[in-house]
Amino acid sequence: MAEIKNIDVRKNDIELKLSISREEYKIIQNNTQDLIVLPHNTETLKHSLTTGKLGNSNRIMMPKKVLQLFKIKELDKKIPSTIFTLNSDCFLLSRIKKTSKGIPKFRED
């Protein structure tokens, strides 16, 4: 797992110097933007989800209580996601709601 070696706090920016494993470097590839740094511990991953398979469907079911806790009223229908494997641990990363500022969307109730 990655480890922060140095944090440089400036007025508007915060620079991190990370130490990462070769597995993590392979995941990042040549990407230098749109990276997410997240802690992986029981304090951060505190919401329990039930896993399972639904035949041939591609679905992720989210509990209403968790969505309400984060004030998410509606999920996007098709969401980008992937599974990363690091040190034999598997992590699911999904963007369940994309913000679309500036363009109003009209729909019927």
Side-chain angles (χ1 to χ4, degrees):
M1 292 292 148
E3 182 179 335
I4 296 176
K5 293 292 186 178
N6 187 22
I7 301 175
D8 187 11
V9 180
R10 298 182 181 167
K11 286 185 179 181
N12 294 327
D13 293 327
I14 298 174
E15 286 186 17
L16 295 178
K17 181 179 178 182
L18 298 173
S19 173
I20 63 173
S21 68
R22 290 203 180 272
E23 279 184 283
E24 291 166 318
Y25 185 71
K26 286 178 186 177
I27 291 172
I28 293 172
Q29 297 173 353
N30 293 327
N31 295 304
T32 58
Q33 295 179 333
D34 296 330
L35 301 174
I36 297 175
V37 178
L38 300 170
H40 164 260
N41 55 39
T42 55
E43 243 177 69
T44 306
L45 303 175
K46 56 188 168 191
H47 301 287
S48 178
L49 301 176
T50 303
T51 61
K53 297 179 187 177
L54 293 172
N56 294 328
S57 62
N58 297 328
R59 295 194 180 163
I60 297 174
M61 307 303 278
M62 295 291 299
K64 290 179 186 177
K65 289 180 182 180
V66 173
L67 295 174
Q68 290 170 348
L69 182 67
F70 290 96
K71 297 181 175 88
I72 299 172
K73 295 179 182 176
E74 187 176 297
L75 294 174
D76 293 344
K77 286 289 182 191
K78 299 285 185 179
I79 61 172
S81 64
T82 192
I83 295 176
F84 297 106
T85 302
L86 294 170
N87 303 328
S88 299
D89 292 335
C90 295
F91 299 90
L92 171 66
L93 178 63
S94 300
R95 183 182 63 216
I96 59 173
K97 188 71 179 161
K98 183 176 181 179
T99 59
S100 53
K101 294 181 181 178
I103 302 172
K105 292 185 179 179
F106 300 101
R107 60 180 177 198
E108 294 181 26
D109 288 336

